[in-house]
Amino acid sequence: MTDTAPTAITPSAQVTRPDGRVEIAPGTPPPSGPYANADLLPVPVGKRTWTTYDFSALCVAQERTPTARQRADQRFRHRSRRPREHVSAVRG
């Protein structure tokens, strides 16, 4: 099972910038294995386009958006009221 996991990058193969950003040291081979591909590899600092504002906006949007479970709960509660309202309307 361990042969399917990608190889980890050792801390010595990482470069920490003064602003706190981390990237793979130049000349270090990228992680390999079936779970590592071009879409998942770390992006070099020079090619990164997201700012602090972008990450903050994403966090706020995710916090304010109801989850699928919350939406399902709302639909279930709404449907469970209908039969009772219908029965009371018929009796009255």
Side-chain angles (χ1 to χ4, degrees), residues 29-87:
S32 62
Y35 299 113
N37 61 40
D39 292 332
L40 299 175
L41 292 177
V43 177
V45 171
K47 293 184 178 181
R48 296 179 188 172
T49 57
W50 278 41
T51 63
T52 304
Y53 175 81
D54 296 316
F55 284 105
S56 300
L58 175 65
C59 290
V60 169
Q62 288 178 337
E63 180 66 30
R64 302 291 298 168
T65 304
T67 63
R69 182 181 172 102
Q70 289 170 334
R71 288 192 303 261
D73 287 345
Q74 290 170 356
R75 285 193 299 261
F76 177 72
R77 288 184 191 141
H78 182 68
R79 288 183 183 159
S80 65
R81 286 189 207 130
R82 283 186 179 169
R84 290 184 200 138
E85 292 170 1
H86 179 67
V87 169

Side-chain angles (χ1 to χ4, degrees), residues 2 4 8-9 18 29 40 42 44 56 83:
T2 57
T4 60
I9 299 174
L40 299 175
S56 300

Side-chain angles (χ1 to χ4, degrees), residues 8-16 22-31 42:
I9 299 174
T10 60
S12 62
Q14 296 179 353
V15 176
T16 303
V22 178
E23 69 178 339
I24 298 176
T28 304

